[in-house]
Amino acid sequence: MVRKLGLLAALFFLILLAAPVLADDDDDDDDRKMRDEDFMKAKQIYFDRCAGCHGTLRKGATGPSLEPSKTRAIPLEAMATIITEGTPGGMPPWKDILSKEEIELVSAYMHLEPPQPPEWGMDQIKESWKLVVPVDKRPKSPPKRNWQNYFGVIQRDVGKVSIIDGDTKEILATLNTGFAVHILRPSASGRYMYSIGRDGKATMIDLWASPPNIVAEIKTGVDARSIDTSKYKGKLGDFTDRYAVVGNYWPPHYVILKGDTLEPMKVVSTRGYTYDTNEFHPEPRVASIVSSHTSPEWVINVKETGIVLLVDYSKADLGTVTETKINAERFLHDGGWDASKRYFLVAANMRNRVAAIDTVDRKLAALIETGNKPHPGRGANWVDTKYGPVWATPHLGEPMVAVIGTDPEKHKQYAWKVVRKLPVAGNGLFIKTHPVSNNIWVDNTLSKDLEVAQKITVYDKKDLDAKPVDIKLTDHGKIVHMEYNKAGDEVWVSVWDREGEIIVLDDKTRKVKNRIKLATPTGKFNVYNTMMDIY
Ligand code: DHE
C-alpha cells in the first residue's frame, strides 16, 4: 500500500515534469546543499547515465527538461521513486543499475543548478591525438580472410570492441576502445573500423592487420555519439577514406579528421538558434551522421535546434566546409537512408515524428507522425507487397513498428505516409532486414517485462498482415540490436549481459546456429553491410 502511494505521488510529479512551467526557482531550501564530494559523485552519475537523454545542461531532449525550475517542485523522495522505477514514457528503471545511495544522490543533484562542463577546443583535441601505427608501417594488402564479412562488436559496459570473423566466428581481436563505446562505422573502403565512445574518444582499427589492431586515437570532446567517413567517389573527386567526422554532445560541435590517421583538421560549432522559435540554445548536440554516396557531403543532425546540416566537405583540405541548413524538427536522434539513398529519414523522437530529408532537392520532403518516440537505429528498407518501397522504425514508447512509404515517384499515394502499424511484443530499440531475406527482426529491449525483453519478434515480409512470431532467445540479460552477415543468410543478435553472447540465427530456419560468448555486447556492425548502407 505504502509503495503504491509512493508510486502514485511519483506519477503526479511526473506529470508536473512534463508541464511547461512549475515552481518558483528562487525559493532556496537548505536541502539543496551537497558536500563537494557527493556533488562530484552525483555529477558523474548524471553525466554517465542521464545526460544522453536529458542533456548535460538538463534542458531536455529524448527525456524531459530537468532544470531546477521544474525539478524543485518535486520532493526528493518522489524524484527517487521516478528514477528507481522508470516511467511509462520509456525511461528505464535504474534500481538494478544504481544503488539506493546513488539514486538519492542524483535526486538531490536534480534540485541544484547544473554545472557547465569545460570546453574542449582544437588545442586539447590535438594534444589527445595518438598515431599508434603510421600509415607506412601498416599492411599493404588485405588478409587472406573474407574480411568484408568481419563484424565489429561493441562490448559497451567493459569498454571494448571485438572483431569477429563472420565466416569462422573466431574472435580475432578484443581491443580497449574506452568508456561506454557507442557505435562503429567502417571507412568507405571498409579497411578501417572507427569507434566512438561516450567520452568523446574516437579509435581507428585496421582490419587488414592480423590480428586487427588500433592504429590511431583521438579525443574530440568529452561526450560524443556519432562518427562516419567520407564516401563520395565521382566527378568531383575521390574522397574514399579521405576524412572521418565525429559528432559531439559536449561541446556541441563536429570535428573533421584525416581518414587514415585521425589527425584533427577542423572543429565546427553547432551552437545556434532553434529552427522554429529562433531561441539561442547553448547545447545543440550532434546526433546521427550519415555519409552521402552521391555527393561529397555528410548529413549531420543537430538535436536541440532541429536543423539538419548538409555539410559539403569537398574543400575541407582548404579548411572550408559549406553548410546547407534544413529546418526539420526538434530532438533529432537516429536515422538511416531509404533504399535509393536519396532520402534520409531521421527520428525526432520527443516529437513523435520522422523527418524525411531530400538530399537531391536539398529540402525537407515531409514530417511524418509515427507513434510514441520513434527509434529506428538506421531503420529497415524493403519492398512492401502492397505499398512499394518502404522504411520502418520501432518505438521507445510503444510496442509498434511504423512502416513509411518512401517512393514519391512510382508510389506517390503512399509516399511519406505511415502505411502500416505492425504490433510487436514490447517497446524496442532496433529493427533489421536484408534485401535477400524474407524476415524483419525487431527487438523488445525496453519492455518492462523481462521475459518479453528476452524475445525477438520476427515478421514475414511477404505476409505482413499475419501475426508475427516471438522467439525466446535467452533466459538472462536482454536482447538488443540485430545485424546481418554479408550474404544476408544469418542474423546476429546481442544478449546484453555481463555473461553475454552473440546469438547467430539462420535467417531461413530462424534457428540458432552459433553462440559466441562475450561480455555485454550491444551494437554490432558487419563491414560490408555498414559501408554499403544495407539495412
Ligand atoms: Fe544509441 C545509435 C544516441 C543510448 C546503442 N544512438 C545512436 C545514434 C544516436 C544515439 C544519436 C545515431 C548515431 C549515428 O547513426 O550516427 N543512444 C544515444 C543516446 O543519446 C542515448 C539515448 C543515451 C546515452 O546516454 O547514450 C543512447 N544507444 C544507447 C544505449 O543504451 C544502447 C542501446 C546500448 C549502447 O551500446 O550504448 C545504444 N545507439 C546504439 C546503437 C546504435 C545507436 C547500437 C547504432 C544503431 C545502428 O544500427 O546504426
Side-chain angles (χ1 to χ4, degrees):
M1 182 67 184
V2 173
R3 195 174 127 81
K4 257 197 184 146
L5 280 176
L7 281 173
L8 274 178
L11 199 64
F12 169 74
F13 288 112
L14 207 63
I15 294 164
L16 281 189
L17 259 189
V21 182
L22 284 168
D24 170 14
D25 62 345
D26 291 325
D27 167 31
D28 63 315
D29 286 330
D30 284 337
D31 72 3
R32 287 191 211 136
K33 297 200 179 93
M34 269 176 111
R35 288 186 306 150
D36 282 357
E37 190 191 325
D38 288 345
F39 181 81
M40 295 311 285
K41 239 194 223 169
K43 186 174 92 168
Q44 197 58 44
I45 299 168
Y46 178 84
F47 191 69
D48 293 347
R49 304 287 183 179
C50 323
C53 290
H54 298 279
T56 305
L57 303 179
R58 307 210 309 249
K59 288 185 177 294
T62 304
S65 154
L66 297 174
E67 289 176 287
S69 57
K70 290 190 161 207
T71 53
R72 283 177 190 168
I74 303 173
L76 293 183
E77 218 173 291
M79 182 70 80
T81 307
I82 295 170
I83 299 171
T84 306
E85 301 297 336
T87 69
M91 181 170 103
W94 290 96
K95 58 187 168 205
D96 297 332
I97 297 164
L98 300 176
S99 66
K100 192 165 172 279
E101 189 213 355
E102 287 173 324
I103 289 176
E104 280 166 7
L105 279 181
V106 179
S107 305
Y109 178 76
M110 290 300 143
H111 279 203
L112 304 174
E113 289 295 334
Q116 173 140 339
E119 297 295 322
W120 189 268
M122 190 48 118
D123 285 354
Q124 287 106 323
I125 296 173
K126 263 205 176 126
E127 207 170 304
S128 74
W129 176 51
K130 261 193 239 156
L131 184 59
V132 184
V133 183
V135 178
D136 60 358
K137 299 272 181 309
R138 298 179 198 162
K140 305 277 179 287
S141 54
K144 289 189 180 48
R145 285 178 182 262
N146 185 10
W147 63 276
Q148 287 193 340
N149 193 33
Y150 285 1
F151 283 73
V153 181
I154 287 175
Q155 294 180 250
R156 182 203 139 129
D157 304 282
V158 293
K160 294 183 196 296
V161 166
S162 283
I163 305 296
I164 303 182
D165 182 325
D167 287 5
T168 64
K169 318 293 186 274
E170 286 163 89
I171 301 174
L172 301 177
T174 297
L175 303 163
N176 287 319
T177 44
F179 174 74
V181 197
H182 188 232
I183 67 162
L184 301 174
R185 296 285 185 244
S187 65
S189 71
R191 174 186 180 153
Y192 296 109
M193 188 67 99
Y194 302 112
S195 85
I196 186 70
R198 282 181 173 74
D199 54 0
K201 183 170 150 190
T203 305
M204 182 176 173
I205 300 165
D206 185 359
L207 299 178
W208 282 13
S210 299
N213 60 358
I214 292 176
V215 291
E217 292 175 350
I218 193 160
K219 201 163 146 58
T220 58
V222 296
D223 194 8
R225 294 294 180 283
S226 50
I227 189 160
D228 215 329
T229 180
S230 51
K231 289 190 176 171
Y232 175 77
K233 184 178 176 181
K235 277 192 206 138
L236 299 172
D238 182 356
F239 291 92
T240 311
D241 294 3
R242 177 103 62 103
Y243 309 122
V245 59
V246 174
N248 274 34
Y249 270 13
W250 192 270
H253 62 209
Y254 60 91
V255 182
I256 301 174
L257 310 165
K258 288 198 174 153
D260 56 355
T261 60
L262 299 187
E263 184 180 351
M265 296 173 64
K266 188 170 180 64
V267 187
V268 185
S269 174
T270 50
R271 284 194 175 104
Y273 294 82
T274 52
Y275 88 93
D276 46 359
T277 56
N278 294 295
E279 285 162 272
F280 180 74
H281 201 295
E283 191 191 357
R285 298 176 291 169
V286 177
S288 40
I289 302 182
V290 291
S291 187
S292 171
H293 295 255
T294 51
S295 48
E297 206 159 67
W298 291 302
V299 182
I300 296 189
N301 296 275
V302 187
K303 192 186 285 273
E304 279 76 8
T305 50
I307 292 173
V308 176
L309 303 174
L310 302 183
V311 178
D312 178 340
Y313 54 68
S314 61
K315 297 196 176 59
D317 282 351
L318 306 175
T320 305
V321 290
T322 315
E323 290 180 343
T324 302
K325 297 186 174 182
I326 300 177
N327 291 348
E329 181 54 289
R330 291 219 215 170
F331 312 120
L332 300 172
H333 194 76
D334 49 352
W337 293 107
D338 78 309
S340 75
K341 300 189 176 69
R342 169 174 178 164
Y343 300 100
F344 177 69
L345 291 108
V346 54
N349 51 22
M350 281 306 272
R351 290 286 161 92
N352 304 331
R353 287 173 167 173
V354 163
I357 305 296
D358 180 344
T359 61
V360 171
D361 286 348
R362 317 178 70 68
K363 61 176 181 119
L364 178 73
L367 270 183
I368 306 133
E369 300 278 342
T370 59
N372 189 350
K373 299 196 190 95
H375 188 278
R378 283 164 291 162
N381 287 291
W382 68 89
V383 179
D384 191 280
T385 49
K386 285 192 196 155
Y387 305 107
V390 293
W391 175 94
T393 177
H395 292 80
L396 304 177
E398 65 178 300
M400 184 271 283
V401 167
V403 181
I404 297 168
T406 57
D407 179 12
E409 275 168 26
K410 296 200 185 105
H411 297 84
K412 200 171 174 195
Q413 68 274 38
Y414 306 126
W416 318 131
K417 295 197 173 77
V418 174
V419 292
R420 292 181 188 273
K421 289 192 169 182
L422 304 175
V424 286
N427 301 9
L429 290 171
F430 300 108
I431 181 166
K432 195 62 54 109
T433 188
H434 187 280
V436 304
S437 166
N438 278 334
N439 292 324
I440 299 161
W441 303 88
V442 190
D443 63 26
N444 302 295
T445 322
L446 295 188
S447 173
K448 293 253 151 73
D449 180 343
L450 189 59
E451 279 272 313
V452 174
Q454 293 175 340
K455 289 180 181 165
I456 191 154
T457 298
V458 53
Y459 269 96
D460 180 346
K461 270 183 206 170
K462 300 272 176 287
D463 191 9
L464 289 171
D465 297 322
K467 264 187 84 175
V469 178
D470 296 324
I471 308 173
K472 174 110 193 276
L473 287 177
T474 180
D475 55 10
H476 60 97
K478 291 182 180 185
I479 295 297
V480 69
H481 197 255
M482 295 70 64
E483 174 71 315
Y484 272 87
N485 64 341
K486 185 179 174 199
D489 57 8
E490 286 174 357
V491 65
W492 292 36
V493 181
S494 299
V495 177
W496 187 0
D497 192 30
R498 286 261 151 203
E499 310 284 302
E501 55 188 353
I502 298 286
I503 301 179
V504 180
L505 296 164
D506 181 301
D507 188 62
K508 275 231 157 56
T509 62
R510 301 176 177 177
K511 297 268 185 296
V512 176
K513 262 177 92 170
N514 301 85
R515 289 178 183 268
I516 307 165
K517 300 279 173 211
L518 275 186
T520 69
T522 51
K524 59 220 143 310
F525 303 86
N526 176 267
V527 172
Y528 185 80
N529 291 339
T530 314
M531 77 197 219
M532 301 305 286
D533 287 291
I534 296 172
Y535 37 81

